[in-house]
Amino acid sequence: MRNRFLALPLVAGAAALALTGCATSSASGDASSDGTIKVVASTNVYGSIVQSIGGDAVSVTSILDDPSQDPHSFESSARTQLAVSKADLIIENGGGYDDFMTTLADASDTEADTINVVELSGLDQGGDFNEHVFYSYPTMVKLVDQVAKDLSALDAGREDTFQQNADALTKELEDLESQTAEVEQQDGGEEVAYTEPVPGYLFDAMGLENETPEAFAEAIEEDDDVPPAALKDTLALFTSGSVRLLAYNDQTSSPETEQVEQAAKDNDVPVVGVTETLPKGEDYVSWQQANIDAVKAALQK
């Protein structure tokens, strides 16, 4: 996916504190003497992982954390710029997903270490790459390890605590992996569809076969017009009963995706909602557990 977030120039004054299509976490990002490690994450997906490892030792600002908004537009502000300028550690998705982080970092002249999760994943081998690596549990295991190392380098006195928290989180992630392996054993090879490749790595781990026409998913992801032939072929997946479920990105919609969702419902194909940021009150593991449970339930219908 090409960069879908719009990083606009900062403007001075109180009006700059408004955000479009996102919200920041409760961490202000401007504390300088509270003794915590200041971390800025591009989304609350990564912010949640850092919080689980760092606990009270970290102050986390998640730039995108509003599940009710379309995450594909972003307007930078004085607040986000300040948080980045004071960060000890920055976490970005990479892969063109959140290029606004590079813009913010460059503008702030920050010297904070940066974790690029796509680079860490090793999944980008060129070609048609799915940058939604936060649905890849092996990648999240790598991220947990790296975050623990980086936090320990910033606060060596708490290294044991960071590592213990990281080990506990890794076990939870490995349990998620085990559950996807069980789905693959039972339902591997089943055909499914999605409006965008957000849950692509989850489907891969479950052995599910995506049948969505590439031209449809690409057009939706790039916010382009869907070719009529691609829309027709996508709708046919449901009228013909070719797929077992539709994964629908709840944070974005268009007339075409709504048409596809309605076609699924009209033909009794279960619709599984997926998101790119954490729902309110969820952490990473509970969010992904809900995703796994929803897919399993849909496959059983």
Side-chain angles (χ1 to χ4, degrees), residues 15-30:
L17 297 180
L19 288 174
T20 297
C22 68
T24 56
S25 71
S26 58
S28 66
D30 59 1

Side-chain angles (χ1 to χ4, degrees), residues 214-238:
E214 182 177 348
F216 177 87
E218 182 177 353
I220 295 301
E221 195 174 20
E222 301 295 343
D223 198 23
D224 291 335
D225 293 334
V226 176
L231 177 58
K232 179 181 178 181
D233 291 344
T234 303
L235 294 173
L237 295 174
F238 307 100

Side-chain angles (χ1 to χ4, degrees), residues 56-57 86 108 183 295:
D56 293 339
K86 292 182 176 295
S108 69
V183 174
V295 172

Side-chain angles (χ1 to χ4, degrees), residues 180-188 190 206 296 299-300:
T180 61
E182 291 174 1
V183 174
E184 180 180 25
Q185 186 174 16
Q186 178 175 331
D187 294 300
E190 293 290 349
M206 291 177 165
K296 289 171 62 176
L299 291 171
Q300 291 169 6

Side-chain angles (χ1 to χ4, degrees), residues 41-65:
S42 62
T43 78
N44 63 359
V45 173
Y46 298 129
S48 170
I49 287 176
V50 174
Q51 195 70 64
S52 295
I53 299 168
D56 293 339
V58 298
S59 295
V60 181
T61 297
S62 296
I63 294 178
L64 298 175
D65 72 349

Side-chain angles (χ1 to χ4, degrees), residues 31 34-40 57-59 83-90 110-114 150-151 154:
D34 61 0
T36 60
I37 300 171
K38 294 165 186 60
V39 183
V40 176
V58 298
S59 295
V84 170
S85 71
K86 292 182 176 295
D88 299 305
L89 178 64
I90 295 171
T110 179
E111 296 183 359
D113 289 336
T114 298
D150 286 0
L151 293 182
L154 291 164

